[in-house]
Amino acid sequence: MPRAHALLLENLHATASEVLATYDVETRRLSTALSEDELVSALQDFPGDGPVFVGIRSKTHVTPRVFDAVPRLVAIGAFCIGTDQIALDVARRSGVAVFNAPFSSTRSVAELVIAEVVMLSRQVFARSKAAHEGHWDKSATGAHEVRGKTLGIIGYGHIGSQASILAEALGMQVQFYDIDKKLPLGNANVVDSLEALLGSSDFVSLHVPDTELTRGMIGREQLCAMRRGAYLLNLSRGKVVDIPALRDALVSGHLAGAAVDVYPREPANTKEVFESELRGLDNVILTPHIGGSTQEAQANIGREVAHALGHYLDHGSTLGCVTLPSLDLPVPTSVRRGPASRIVNVHQNVPGVLSAINRVVAETNVNIVGQALATVEDVGLLFIDVPLAADDPRAEKLREGISALDTSVRTRLLWL
Ligand code: NAI
């Protein structure tokens, strides 16, 4: 019998099953999403009583009923960035770890940014459209090399910093503005204020998350502060830019062009018509949120999420987890020399919970060789390492004792 079973839906990349197999997780793959009823019965259908995972993308909804109906469900892999399709509060209260893949498409987005900087600068889309319509416009008017031009990056995180490196390879000057202190890569310069960056860049590229601070951060005033003839790129989140204001800046000629991949309202499916005030403008590259849509990103997502699930199975590690507190504890060398088990306990974070757990440990009369705790709001995650083989009856007694506490949500026994 494998250590765990995983149901992988929505045609996940093959890397997901390959990586899970290395953790002794047997996978069942389906190319489609499942309804609530179908999901429940597919998850209940696995043999044995070991842990069960489900891997989804955006189309499968994991509703509160799924958690109630499948207590063996210990973790969910969202093989994408968004996790809105999962009842996260219920997952957290049920002690179910949810992992996603926020960084696997970093390089894909950065490459598209660089491609679009060149395309905008050479007016490729307007010239291509004209050529498709039979017009032969080969003049150099308004077309420029990007070498020596300044790229201003707003948000110097994973994507912004990758774009910075690639832009320098093309001979661009790079400057960035970030609310956090960030180490500049290559020859990039830090700029102290958004206004200073806007007024001194030939291309402004946005790479910030969607937060209260970033929503609407590029409005009329900021567009006015940009250089005349500059270009704006938004491949971050749709609500960061005021689209009607951007349209006005483009139509008036203040901005020479823009590339936009994300929108305040995006169609929910391929049948829905895409509406935007930017449609029909020649100097705007519109793409349907494809910044991270590459085969390579999908393969990386498969690996990233499958490894996160595997580490959770192996050691209880929740690094990058969306629902449970983030916790990792290396296995101490002394433990590696002999048999050792880890109790992974998700509990309600209420007064007295730790002393109740420690009482159970004391009653079992075993020494603790490693312990770590992390809490977020009403949920706590505790690791207790003990020098017992997992098939030692005292280890299971310890797990049972902790699991029986009213405050315990989920308690697993792992063999280190
Ligand atoms: P990240 O978290 O690594 O970096 C974001 C950076 O923005 C951080 O350095 C942060 O300090 C900075 N920041 C936050 N608020 C700011 C503010 N008010 N002003 C200035 N800087 C601020 O994120 P990552 O991975 O680089 O992603 C950036 C954006 O790209 C995200 O919004 C993400 O959703 C989006 N994205 C878009 C994709 C697409 O298909 N178009 C694919 C992947 C990500």
mmCIF file of all heavy atoms in Angstrom, residues 202-245:
data_model
loop_
_atom_site.group_PDB
_atom_site.id
_atom_site.type_symbol
_atom_site.label_atom_id
_atom_site.label_comp_id
_atom_site.label_asym_id
_atom_site.label_seq_id
_atom_site.Cartn_x
_atom_site.Cartn_y
_atom_site.Cartn_z
ATOM 1 N N ASP A 202 11.536 55.504 -19.393
ATOM 2 C CA ASP A 202 10.948 55.425 -20.735
ATOM 3 C C ASP A 202 9.890 54.326 -20.794
ATOM 4 O O ASP A 202 8.946 54.400 -21.571
ATOM 5 C CB ASP A 202 12.050 55.122 -21.759
ATOM 6 C CG ASP A 202 13.136 56.178 -21.732
ATOM 7 O OD1 ASP A 202 12.796 57.359 -21.936
ATOM 8 O OD2 ASP A 202 14.308 55.836 -21.465
ATOM 9 N N PHE A 203 10.084 53.309 -19.969
ATOM 10 C CA PHE A 203 9.100 52.219 -19.841
ATOM 11 C C PHE A 203 8.849 52.031 -18.356
ATOM 12 O O PHE A 203 9.800 51.998 -17.573
ATOM 13 C CB PHE A 203 9.656 50.899 -20.398
ATOM 14 C CG PHE A 203 9.969 50.954 -21.860
ATOM 15 C CD1 PHE A 203 11.189 51.465 -22.297
ATOM 16 C CD2 PHE A 203 9.059 50.509 -22.802
ATOM 17 C CE1 PHE A 203 11.491 51.531 -23.640
ATOM 18 C CE2 PHE A 203 9.346 50.572 -24.153
ATOM 19 C CZ PHE A 203 10.569 51.092 -24.581
ATOM 20 N N VAL A 204 7.574 51.922 -17.986
ATOM 21 C CA VAL A 204 7.242 51.658 -16.581
ATOM 22 C C VAL A 204 6.531 50.311 -16.539
ATOM 23 O O VAL A 204 5.534 50.105 -17.243
ATOM 24 C CB VAL A 204 6.320 52.762 -16.009
ATOM 25 C CG1 VAL A 204 5.805 52.365 -14.627
ATOM 26 C CG2 VAL A 204 7.061 54.096 -15.953
ATOM 27 N N SER A 205 7.063 49.369 -15.762
ATOM 28 C CA SER A 205 6.456 48.043 -15.703
ATOM 29 C C SER A 205 6.049 47.724 -14.270
ATOM 30 O O SER A 205 6.844 47.844 -13.335
ATOM 31 C CB SER A 205 7.457 46.998 -16.223
ATOM 32 O OG SER A 205 6.789 45.789 -16.453
ATOM 33 N N LEU A 206 4.792 47.304 -14.120
ATOM 34 C CA LEU A 206 4.223 47.076 -12.783
ATOM 35 C C LEU A 206 4.347 45.607 -12.370
ATOM 36 O O LEU A 206 3.936 44.722 -13.127
ATOM 37 C CB LEU A 206 2.746 47.452 -12.803
ATOM 38 C CG LEU A 206 2.484 48.943 -12.952
ATOM 39 C CD1 LEU A 206 1.110 49.191 -13.542
ATOM 40 C CD2 LEU A 206 2.617 49.612 -11.600
ATOM 41 N N HIS A 207 4.873 45.378 -11.168
ATOM 42 C CA HIS A 207 5.015 43.992 -10.679
ATOM 43 C C HIS A 207 4.685 43.909 -9.200
ATOM 44 O O HIS A 207 5.421 43.309 -8.410
ATOM 45 C CB HIS A 207 6.421 43.477 -10.988
ATOM 46 C CG HIS A 207 6.676 43.467 -12.449
ATOM 47 N ND1 HIS A 207 6.020 42.607 -13.305
ATOM 48 C CD2 HIS A 207 7.423 44.284 -13.231
ATOM 49 C CE1 HIS A 207 6.378 42.870 -14.531
ATOM 50 N NE2 HIS A 207 7.221 43.886 -14.535
ATOM 51 N N VAL A 208 3.566 44.546 -8.834
ATOM 52 C CA VAL A 208 3.147 44.583 -7.430
ATOM 53 C C VAL A 208 1.976 43.611 -7.209
ATOM 54 O O VAL A 208 1.287 43.247 -8.153
ATOM 55 C CB VAL A 208 2.686 46.016 -7.035
ATOM 56 C CG1 VAL A 208 3.864 46.958 -6.980
ATOM 57 C CG2 VAL A 208 1.629 46.525 -7.992
ATOM 58 N N PRO A 209 1.733 43.198 -5.972
ATOM 59 C CA PRO A 209 0.553 42.367 -5.706
ATOM 60 C C PRO A 209 -0.703 43.232 -5.643
ATOM 61 O O PRO A 209 -0.620 44.461 -5.689
ATOM 62 C CB PRO A 209 0.862 41.767 -4.328
ATOM 63 C CG PRO A 209 1.768 42.756 -3.673
ATOM 64 C CD PRO A 209 2.534 43.454 -4.755
ATOM 65 N N ASP A 210 -1.859 42.579 -5.525
ATOM 66 C CA ASP A 210 -3.124 43.292 -5.395
ATOM 67 C C ASP A 210 -3.371 43.535 -3.902
ATOM 68 O O ASP A 210 -3.697 42.612 -3.169
ATOM 69 C CB ASP A 210 -4.231 42.410 -6.000
ATOM 70 C CG ASP A 210 -5.593 43.056 -5.930
ATOM 71 O OD1 ASP A 210 -5.736 44.188 -6.379
ATOM 72 O OD2 ASP A 210 -6.517 42.412 -5.402
ATOM 73 N N THR A 211 -3.163 44.771 -3.453
ATOM 74 C CA THR A 211 -3.393 45.090 -2.038
ATOM 75 C C THR A 211 -4.152 46.417 -1.970
ATOM 76 O O THR A 211 -4.325 47.088 -2.985
ATOM 77 C CB THR A 211 -2.057 45.283 -1.271
ATOM 78 O OG1 THR A 211 -1.410 46.454 -1.782
ATOM 79 C CG2 THR A 211 -1.135 44.099 -1.411
ATOM 80 N N GLU A 212 -4.533 46.791 -0.753
ATOM 81 C CA GLU A 212 -5.214 48.087 -0.596
ATOM 82 C C GLU A 212 -4.344 49.226 -1.100
ATOM 83 O O GLU A 212 -4.831 50.192 -1.660
ATOM 84 C CB GLU A 212 -5.519 48.313 0.880
ATOM 85 C CG GLU A 212 -6.861 47.780 1.273
ATOM 86 C CD GLU A 212 -7.125 47.948 2.749
ATOM 87 O OE1 GLU A 212 -6.658 48.944 3.330
ATOM 88 O OE2 GLU A 212 -7.796 47.068 3.297
ATOM 89 N N LEU A 213 -3.027 49.076 -0.909
ATOM 90 C CA LEU A 213 -2.107 50.141 -1.315
ATOM 91 C C LEU A 213 -1.914 50.207 -2.825
ATOM 92 O O LEU A 213 -1.664 51.270 -3.379
ATOM 93 C CB LEU A 213 -0.726 49.913 -0.678
ATOM 94 C CG LEU A 213 -0.555 50.284 0.778
ATOM 95 C CD1 LEU A 213 0.877 50.006 1.212
ATOM 96 C CD2 LEU A 213 -0.871 51.763 0.981
ATOM 97 N N THR A 214 -1.978 49.059 -3.482
ATOM 98 C CA THR A 214 -1.669 49.058 -4.924
ATOM 99 C C THR A 214 -2.897 49.263 -5.803
ATOM 100 O O THR A 214 -2.758 49.634 -6.963
ATOM 101 C CB THR A 214 -0.984 47.742 -5.350
ATOM 102 O OG1 THR A 214 -1.890 46.662 -5.085
ATOM 103 C CG2 THR A 214 0.322 47.525 -4.617
ATOM 104 N N ARG A 215 -4.099 48.988 -5.252
ATOM 105 C CA ARG A 215 -5.309 49.158 -6.063
ATOM 106 C C ARG A 215 -5.432 50.617 -6.482
ATOM 107 O O ARG A 215 -5.440 51.497 -5.627
ATOM 108 C CB ARG A 215 -6.543 48.706 -5.289
ATOM 109 C CG ARG A 215 -7.089 47.394 -5.814
ATOM 110 C CD ARG A 215 -8.023 46.735 -4.846
ATOM 111 N NE ARG A 215 -7.352 45.632 -4.165
ATOM 112 C CZ ARG A 215 -7.581 45.258 -2.914
ATOM 113 N NH1 ARG A 215 -8.480 45.882 -2.198
ATOM 114 N NH2 ARG A 215 -6.916 44.254 -2.401
ATOM 115 N N GLY A 216 -5.462 50.855 -7.775
ATOM 116 C CA GLY A 216 -5.580 52.227 -8.293
ATOM 117 C C GLY A 216 -4.309 53.042 -8.123
ATOM 118 O O GLY A 216 -4.338 54.266 -8.230
ATOM 119 N N MET A 217 -3.175 52.388 -7.884
ATOM 120 C CA MET A 217 -1.945 53.168 -7.635
ATOM 121 C C MET A 217 -1.485 53.927 -8.882
ATOM 122 O O MET A 217 -0.782 54.926 -8.766
ATOM 123 C CB MET A 217 -0.818 52.295 -7.034
ATOM 124 C CG MET A 217 0.066 51.557 -7.988
ATOM 125 S SD MET A 217 1.214 50.439 -7.125
ATOM 126 C CE MET A 217 2.480 51.549 -6.596
ATOM 127 N N ILE A 218 -1.903 53.469 -10.075
ATOM 128 C CA ILE A 218 -1.598 54.230 -11.289
ATOM 129 C C ILE A 218 -2.907 54.825 -11.813
ATOM 130 O O ILE A 218 -3.689 54.173 -12.513
ATOM 131 C CB ILE A 218 -0.925 53.333 -12.363
ATOM 132 C CG1 ILE A 218 0.352 52.697 -11.803
ATOM 133 C CG2 ILE A 218 -0.628 54.138 -13.634
ATOM 134 C CD1 ILE A 218 1.477 53.665 -11.447
ATOM 135 N N GLY A 219 -3.159 56.082 -11.435
ATOM 136 C CA GLY A 219 -4.348 56.815 -11.883
ATOM 137 C C GLY A 219 -3.920 57.991 -12.761
ATOM 138 O O GLY A 219 -2.779 58.044 -13.228
ATOM 139 N N ARG A 220 -4.859 58.952 -12.947
ATOM 140 C CA ARG A 220 -4.580 60.103 -13.834
ATOM 141 C C ARG A 220 -3.310 60.849 -13.436
ATOM 142 O O ARG A 220 -2.454 61.164 -14.274
ATOM 143 C CB ARG A 220 -5.759 61.083 -13.791
ATOM 144 C CG ARG A 220 -6.816 60.690 -14.760
ATOM 145 C CD ARG A 220 -8.042 61.566 -14.767
ATOM 146 N NE ARG A 220 -9.147 60.711 -15.128
ATOM 147 C CZ ARG A 220 -9.371 60.293 -16.374
ATOM 148 N NH1 ARG A 220 -8.616 60.697 -17.365
ATOM 149 N NH2 ARG A 220 -10.368 59.479 -16.637
ATOM 150 N N GLU A 221 -3.201 61.111 -12.125
ATOM 151 C CA GLU A 221 -2.066 61.903 -11.642
ATOM 152 C C GLU A 221 -0.726 61.209 -11.951
ATOM 153 O O GLU A 221 0.228 61.833 -12.414
ATOM 154 C CB GLU A 221 -2.228 62.044 -10.117
ATOM 155 C CG GLU A 221 -1.380 63.083 -9.477
ATOM 156 C CD GLU A 221 -1.536 63.015 -7.954
ATOM 157 O OE1 GLU A 221 -2.674 62.776 -7.461
ATOM 158 O OE2 GLU A 221 -0.530 63.162 -7.285
ATOM 159 N N GLN A 222 -0.694 59.896 -11.736
ATOM 160 C CA GLN A 222 0.555 59.154 -11.952
ATOM 161 C C GLN A 222 0.852 59.051 -13.455
ATOM 162 O O GLN A 222 2.009 59.134 -13.863
ATOM 163 C CB GLN A 222 0.458 57.747 -11.348
ATOM 164 C CG GLN A 222 0.452 57.714 -9.832
ATOM 165 C CD GLN A 222 -0.847 58.225 -9.227
ATOM 166 O OE1 GLN A 222 -1.917 58.135 -9.838
ATOM 167 N NE2 GLN A 222 -0.748 58.787 -8.033
ATOM 168 N N LEU A 223 -0.206 58.901 -14.268
ATOM 169 C CA LEU A 223 0.023 58.819 -15.717
ATOM 170 C C LEU A 223 0.563 60.154 -16.236
ATOM 171 O O LEU A 223 1.449 60.197 -17.093
ATOM 172 C CB LEU A 223 -1.271 58.430 -16.439
ATOM 173 C CG LEU A 223 -1.735 56.986 -16.131
ATOM 174 C CD1 LEU A 223 -3.178 56.769 -16.575
ATOM 175 C CD2 LEU A 223 -0.822 55.966 -16.820
ATOM 176 N N CYS A 224 0.029 61.253 -15.668
ATOM 177 C CA CYS A 224 0.526 62.594 -16.035
ATOM 178 C C CYS A 224 1.992 62.753 -15.647
ATOM 179 O O CYS A 224 2.761 63.435 -16.332
ATOM 180 C CB CYS A 224 -0.252 63.670 -15.283
ATOM 181 S SG CYS A 224 -1.651 64.214 -16.187
ATOM 182 N N ALA A 225 2.363 62.121 -14.529
ATOM 183 C CA ALA A 225 3.744 62.258 -14.048
ATOM 184 C C ALA A 225 4.729 61.478 -14.912
ATOM 185 O O ALA A 225 5.943 61.669 -14.800
ATOM 186 C CB ALA A 225 3.833 61.777 -12.600
ATOM 187 N N MET A 226 4.215 60.579 -15.769
ATOM 188 C CA MET A 226 5.124 59.822 -16.649
ATOM 189 C C MET A 226 5.634 60.725 -17.767
ATOM 190 O O MET A 226 4.984 61.694 -18.148
ATOM 191 C CB MET A 226 4.395 58.605 -17.248
ATOM 192 C CG MET A 226 4.203 57.470 -16.255
ATOM 193 S SD MET A 226 3.270 56.076 -16.944
ATOM 194 C CE MET A 226 4.391 55.431 -18.187
ATOM 195 N N ARG A 227 6.808 60.383 -18.299
ATOM 196 C CA ARG A 227 7.371 61.154 -19.411
ATOM 197 C C ARG A 227 6.450 61.114 -20.622
ATOM 198 O O ARG A 227 5.846 60.057 -20.895
ATOM 199 C CB ARG A 227 8.691 60.517 -19.852
ATOM 200 C CG ARG A 227 9.837 60.813 -18.966
ATOM 201 C CD ARG A 227 11.067 60.142 -19.560
ATOM 202 N NE ARG A 227 12.245 60.526 -18.815
ATOM 203 C CZ ARG A 227 13.449 59.992 -19.005
ATOM 204 N NH1 ARG A 227 13.619 59.052 -19.908
ATOM 205 N NH2 ARG A 227 14.468 60.395 -18.298
ATOM 206 N N ARG A 228 6.391 62.219 -21.362
ATOM 207 C CA ARG A 228 5.633 62.203 -22.622
ATOM 208 C C ARG A 228 6.316 61.202 -23.567
ATOM 209 O O ARG A 228 7.541 61.191 -23.678
ATOM 210 C CB ARG A 228 5.638 63.611 -23.233
ATOM 211 C CG ARG A 228 4.731 63.710 -24.396
ATOM 212 C CD ARG A 228 4.457 65.110 -24.876
ATOM 213 N NE ARG A 228 3.596 65.009 -26.047
ATOM 214 C CZ ARG A 228 2.296 64.838 -25.994
ATOM 215 N NH1 ARG A 228 1.685 64.831 -24.834
ATOM 216 N NH2 ARG A 228 1.577 64.703 -27.099
ATOM 217 N N GLY A 229 5.514 60.335 -24.188
ATOM 218 C CA GLY A 229 6.089 59.356 -25.124
ATOM 219 C C GLY A 229 6.572 58.078 -24.437
ATOM 220 O O GLY A 229 7.140 57.198 -25.091
ATOM 221 N N ALA A 230 6.306 57.963 -23.121
ATOM 222 C CA ALA A 230 6.728 56.739 -22.412
ATOM 223 C C ALA A 230 5.689 55.628 -22.619
ATOM 224 O O ALA A 230 4.617 55.859 -23.194
ATOM 225 C CB ALA A 230 6.899 57.040 -20.921
ATOM 226 N N TYR A 231 6.040 54.439 -22.163
ATOM 227 C CA TYR A 231 5.156 53.272 -22.294
ATOM 228 C C TYR A 231 4.863 52.682 -20.916
ATOM 229 O O TYR A 231 5.736 52.691 -20.044
ATOM 230 C CB TYR A 231 5.839 52.175 -23.117
ATOM 231 C CG TYR A 231 6.103 52.551 -24.549
ATOM 232 C CD1 TYR A 231 7.301 53.173 -24.909
ATOM 233 C CD2 TYR A 231 5.172 52.276 -25.550
ATOM 234 C CE1 TYR A 231 7.565 53.510 -26.221
ATOM 235 C CE2 TYR A 231 5.423 52.616 -26.870
ATOM 236 C CZ TYR A 231 6.619 53.228 -27.200
ATOM 237 O OH TYR A 231 6.865 53.564 -28.504
ATOM 238 N N LEU A 232 3.646 52.149 -20.746
ATOM 239 C CA LEU A 232 3.276 51.503 -19.479
ATOM 240 C C LEU A 232 2.994 50.017 -19.739
ATOM 241 O O LEU A 232 2.317 49.676 -20.719
ATOM 242 C CB LEU A 232 2.007 52.150 -18.892
ATOM 243 C CG LEU A 232 1.545 51.546 -17.567
ATOM 244 C CD1 LEU A 232 2.444 52.011 -16.414
ATOM 245 C CD2 LEU A 232 0.093 51.938 -17.251
ATOM 246 N N LEU A 233 3.509 49.166 -18.865
ATOM 247 C CA LEU A 233 3.213 47.730 -18.975
ATOM 248 C C LEU A 233 2.582 47.267 -17.665
ATOM 249 O O LEU A 233 3.117 47.555 -16.582
ATOM 250 C CB LEU A 233 4.489 46.908 -19.206
ATOM 251 C CG LEU A 233 5.193 47.140 -20.550
ATOM 252 C CD1 LEU A 233 6.282 48.189 -20.413
ATOM 253 C CD2 LEU A 233 5.794 45.841 -21.056
ATOM 254 N N ASN A 234 1.462 46.579 -17.768
ATOM 255 C CA ASN A 234 0.870 45.980 -16.563
ATOM 256 C C ASN A 234 0.603 44.503 -16.790
ATOM 257 O O ASN A 234 -0.338 44.116 -17.471
ATOM 258 C CB ASN A 234 -0.415 46.686 -16.139
ATOM 259 C CG ASN A 234 -0.927 46.107 -14.803
ATOM 260 O OD1 ASN A 234 -0.179 45.432 -14.091
ATOM 261 N ND2 ASN A 234 -2.176 46.370 -14.472
ATOM 262 N N LEU A 235 1.478 43.679 -16.208
ATOM 263 C CA LEU A 235 1.284 42.224 -16.241
ATOM 264 C C LEU A 235 1.165 41.726 -14.801
ATOM 265 O O LEU A 235 1.510 40.593 -14.485
ATOM 266 C CB LEU A 235 2.457 41.517 -16.950
ATOM 267 C CG LEU A 235 2.528 41.709 -18.472
ATOM 268 C CD1 LEU A 235 3.214 43.005 -18.845
ATOM 269 C CD2 LEU A 235 3.195 40.535 -19.152
ATOM 270 N N SER A 236 0.695 42.658 -13.896
ATOM 271 C CA SER A 236 0.623 42.257 -12.485
ATOM 272 C C SER A 236 -0.812 41.910 -12.098
ATOM 273 O O SER A 236 -1.227 40.762 -12.222
ATOM 274 C CB SER A 236 1.210 43.340 -11.585
ATOM 275 O OG SER A 236 0.476 44.544 -11.655
ATOM 276 N N ARG A 237 -1.592 42.891 -11.657
ATOM 277 C CA ARG A 237 -2.981 42.639 -11.292
ATOM 278 C C ARG A 237 -3.839 43.749 -11.879
ATOM 279 O O ARG A 237 -3.422 44.909 -11.956
ATOM 280 C CB ARG A 237 -3.135 42.584 -9.772
ATOM 281 C CG ARG A 237 -2.346 41.455 -9.109
ATOM 282 C CD ARG A 237 -2.822 40.078 -9.535
ATOM 283 N NE ARG A 237 -4.139 39.805 -9.034
ATOM 284 C CZ ARG A 237 -4.408 39.187 -7.897
ATOM 285 N NH1 ARG A 237 -3.421 38.737 -7.149
ATOM 286 N NH2 ARG A 237 -5.636 38.980 -7.501
ATOM 287 N N GLY A 238 -5.071 43.371 -12.255
ATOM 288 C CA GLY A 238 -5.917 44.262 -13.047
ATOM 289 C C GLY A 238 -6.306 45.573 -12.388
ATOM 290 O O GLY A 238 -6.476 46.586 -13.063
ATOM 291 N N LYS A 239 -6.456 45.553 -11.051
ATOM 292 C CA LYS A 239 -7.001 46.752 -10.397
ATOM 293 C C LYS A 239 -5.925 47.783 -10.065
ATOM 294 O O LYS A 239 -6.220 48.831 -9.495
ATOM 295 C CB LYS A 239 -7.747 46.350 -9.122
ATOM 296 C CG LYS A 239 -8.968 45.523 -9.458
ATOM 297 C CD LYS A 239 -9.924 45.393 -8.298
ATOM 298 C CE LYS A 239 -11.189 44.700 -8.767
ATOM 299 N NZ LYS A 239 -11.558 43.569 -7.960
ATOM 300 N N VAL A 240 -4.683 47.508 -10.427
ATOM 301 C CA VAL A 240 -3.593 48.424 -10.089
ATOM 302 C C VAL A 240 -3.678 49.700 -10.953
ATOM 303 O O VAL A 240 -3.304 50.790 -10.522
ATOM 304 C CB VAL A 240 -2.221 47.714 -10.271
ATOM 305 C CG1 VAL A 240 -1.068 48.670 -10.056
ATOM 306 C CG2 VAL A 240 -2.117 46.532 -9.307
ATOM 307 N N VAL A 241 -4.223 49.557 -12.176
ATOM 308 C CA VAL A 241 -4.256 50.695 -13.103
ATOM 309 C C VAL A 241 -5.698 51.148 -13.327
ATOM 310 O O VAL A 241 -6.595 50.319 -13.497
ATOM 311 C CB VAL A 241 -3.625 50.288 -14.459
ATOM 312 C CG1 VAL A 241 -3.709 51.434 -15.462
ATOM 313 C CG2 VAL A 241 -2.180 49.854 -14.265
ATOM 314 N N ASP A 242 -5.903 52.477 -13.336
ATOM 315 C CA ASP A 242 -7.205 53.057 -13.688
ATOM 316 C C ASP A 242 -7.308 53.035 -15.226
ATOM 317 O O ASP A 242 -6.648 53.823 -15.907
ATOM 318 C CB ASP A 242 -7.232 54.494 -13.130
ATOM 319 C CG ASP A 242 -8.498 55.235 -13.532
ATOM 320 O OD1 ASP A 242 -9.233 54.753 -14.422
ATOM 321 O OD2 ASP A 242 -8.738 56.312 -12.955
ATOM 322 N N ILE A 243 -8.103 52.101 -15.742
ATOM 323 C CA ILE A 243 -8.112 51.861 -17.191
ATOM 324 C C ILE A 243 -8.662 53.067 -17.987
ATOM 325 O O ILE A 243 -8.059 53.466 -18.990
ATOM 326 C CB ILE A 243 -8.891 50.558 -17.528
ATOM 327 C CG1 ILE A 243 -8.186 49.357 -16.870
ATOM 328 C CG2 ILE A 243 -9.023 50.366 -19.032
ATOM 329 C CD1 ILE A 243 -6.876 48.932 -17.487
ATOM 330 N N PRO A 244 -9.788 53.692 -17.582
ATOM 331 C CA PRO A 244 -10.241 54.866 -18.355
ATOM 332 C C PRO A 244 -9.173 55.964 -18.395
ATOM 333 O O PRO A 244 -8.975 56.614 -19.439
ATOM 334 C CB PRO A 244 -11.486 55.333 -17.590
ATOM 335 C CG PRO A 244 -11.979 54.100 -16.892
ATOM 336 C CD PRO A 244 -10.761 53.308 -16.538
ATOM 337 N N ALA A 245 -8.458 56.170 -17.292
ATOM 338 C CA ALA A 245 -7.391 57.189 -17.279
ATOM 339 C C ALA A 245 -6.272 56.791 -18.229
ATOM 340 O O ALA A 245 -5.704 57.635 -18.939
ATOM 341 C CB ALA A 245 -6.851 57.360 -15.859
#
